[in-house]
Amino acid sequence: MYQLKNYLILFIKGIAMGTANIIPGVSGGTIALITGIFERLINALKNFNTQAFRLLGGGKWKEFAQHIDLYFLLAIFAGVGIALISLARIFDFLFSEYPVFIWSYFFGLVMASVYFVGKTVSRWTIPVYISFVAGVVIAAGLTFLNPATENSGFLYLILCGVVAVCSMILPGLSGSFVLILMGNYQLVAIDAINDRDVGILLPVLIGAVFGLLAFSHFLSWLLKKYKPETIAVLTGFILGSLSILWPWKEAVHMKNASGELLIKDGAPVVERYMVSLPEAFNTEVMLAMVIMIAGIATIWIIESLAKPSQKKTKPNS
C-alpha cells in the first residue's frame, strides 16, 4: 500500500514537471529540483549504460529494472506524458485569456523555490556563493542574447538536440528558449514537426538522446563531487529565470527573413519578453498579488508534505 502511495506521489510530481514544460521559459528540471526528485532522476538516467543493456540482453529483467530505477522513471514520465496531453489546451487558454494571473502564480511558485532549494545547500562557502552568482548571471544573461541565424547543418542540428535536452533538465532554463537563441526554433519546432521532416528531426533526436545520457552522467558526477556548488548554481539558474516569469511584460515575437511573424498553432512565436510595470494599482494587480502568494504557498505546502515522507524513507536509505 505504501509503495502504491509512493508511486502515486511520483506520478503527481511528473504531472507537475510536464506542466512546467508547457509553460514558456520554465523547465521541468525546476519542478524536479523543488519536489526533491532531481538527483534521483539524474542518477536513474545515468544508469542507462552498457551494464543496463547487458542485463536486458541477458533476460535479467528484475536486475535491469532495479539498475535503472525503472518504476520510478515510469511513474515520473507517465505523469509528464499525461500533463503534456491533457493540460496543453488548458494552459493555452489560460495564457490567452488570463496571462497576468497565470504568470503571477508561477512567479510566486518559482520565487519561493529559490529559498527552499537554496536551503538544501549544506554549507555556504565562498565558492558556493560564487557558483550561485554565476548561475544568476548566466540565466539572466541568456534572456538578453540575440538569436543566431538558422542553420540546417547535420552537426549543428545534433548540437541543437544536445543543448535543448540539457536545458530541459537544468532548472531555470527552457529548451524551446535555447532553440530560439540557437536560431533553429522555426526549423525544428515548427517546420520540421509540421512537415514530418525526418532529415531535420533525426539529427536533433540523436543529439537529444546522446545529450540526455551524457549530461546525466556529468550532472551525477557534479552532485557527488561538488554538491553544494552544483545546487547553488541551479538555485542561481532559478533566480535568474524569474525575469521571464514576471507577470507584467510585453512579448517580442519572432519574425522570418521577410519580416513576417512566425506562427505556431495559430499564435505568434515569442522570442523574448520585455519586463514592464503595471500601469496602475488596480483590482487586477491586487488579484495578481494574491495569486502570487498562492504560488508561494503551494511550494510551502509541497515542502510540508514532503517532510513526513522523507522521515519514513530515511532508515532505508
Side-chain angles (χ1 to χ4, degrees):
M1 187 67 182
Y2 172 71
Q3 280 286 82
L4 181 62
K5 180 184 176 182
N6 188 36
Y7 286 122
L8 180 60
I9 292 172
L10 290 173
F11 175 73
I12 293 171
K13 290 180 178 181
I15 290 176
M17 286 180 62
T19 303
N21 280 324
I22 297 170
I23 303 160
V26 184
S27 165
T30 302
I31 302 299
L33 194 58
I34 293 169
T35 56
I37 60 171
F38 182 76
E39 193 168 354
R40 185 176 177 183
L41 178 62
I42 293 302
N43 287 328
L45 293 172
K46 180 201 71 171
N47 286 336
F48 275 93
N49 50 22
T50 52
Q51 183 182 348
F53 289 110
R54 280 199 300 268
L55 290 171
L56 187 61
K60 298 179 179 179
W61 174 256
K62 186 176 180 181
E63 291 84 351
F64 170 76
Q66 289 175 340
H67 180 70
I68 66 167
D69 208 352
L70 178 64
Y71 300 113
F72 164 78
L73 289 176
L74 287 176
I76 293 297
F77 285 108
V80 170
I82 291 294
L84 292 175
I85 294 169
S86 61
L87 296 179
R89 291 183 182 275
I90 295 174
F91 274 89
D92 280 344
F93 170 77
L94 290 174
F95 276 111
S96 174
E97 299 298 324
Y98 306 102
V100 170
F101 298 147
I102 196 70
W103 284 119
S104 295
Y105 178 77
F106 283 101
F107 184 86
L109 195 90
V110 174
M111 182 172 63
S113 72
V114 173
Y115 166 74
F116 284 108
V117 173
K119 77 172 187 175
T120 64
V121 175
S122 55
R123 217 168 52 135
W124 283 89
T125 60
I126 291 177
V128 173
Y129 277 112
I130 292 173
S131 301
F132 172 72
V133 173
V136 174
V137 171
I138 292 169
L142 285 174
T143 63
F144 296 102
L145 292 179
N146 291 320
T149 56
E150 186 177 292
N151 187 336
S152 60
F154 188 83
L155 292 178
Y156 190 74
L157 289 172
I158 289 179
L159 180 62
C160 285
V162 171
V163 175
V165 78
C166 291
S167 61
M168 286 178 184
I169 297 173
L170 281 175
L173 296 180
S174 162
S176 58
F177 180 66
V178 170
L179 275 179
I180 288 174
L181 291 179
M182 296 183 74
N184 271 4
Y185 184 85
Q186 181 192 6
L187 179 67
V188 174
I190 300 177
D191 297 341
I193 291 177
N194 289 339
D195 299 338
R196 309 293 193 271
D197 190 338
V198 178
I200 297 295
L201 295 176
L202 182 60
V204 173
L205 180 61
I206 292 171
V209 172
F210 174 78
L212 187 63
L213 297 179
F215 195 60
S216 60
H217 277 78
F218 178 63
L219 267 181
S220 178
W221 176 80
L222 281 177
L223 287 166
K224 285 181 181 177
K225 296 288 185 179
Y226 307 100
K227 187 169 183 177
E229 291 84 357
T230 303
I231 297 298
V233 168
L234 298 179
T235 307
F237 281 159
I238 297 172
L239 179 60
S241 71
L242 278 175
S243 61
I244 299 175
L245 302 174
W246 178 249
W248 296 277
K249 55 198 168 195
E250 297 177 7
V252 177
H253 297 105
M254 287 191 71
K255 296 180 180 180
N256 59 23
S258 304
E260 300 170 334
L261 286 175
L262 294 179
I263 305 296
K264 183 182 180 184
D265 299 328
V269 176
V270 176
E271 178 181 307
R272 63 166 62 90
Y273 292 100
M274 301 293 290
V275 174
S276 62
L277 294 174
E279 294 179 359
F281 190 78
N282 51 26
T283 305
E284 181 190 69
V285 174
M286 288 189 289
L287 184 54
M289 293 176 68
V290 171
I291 293 171
M292 200 179 291
I293 293 170
I296 295 171
T298 301
I299 295 299
W300 181 81
I301 292 168
I302 289 172
E303 281 289 311
S304 300
L305 292 175
K307 286 177 183 176
S309 173
Q310 289 168 0
K311 288 176 184 177
K312 286 180 183 177
T313 56
K314 192 174 182 181
N316 297 326
S317 58

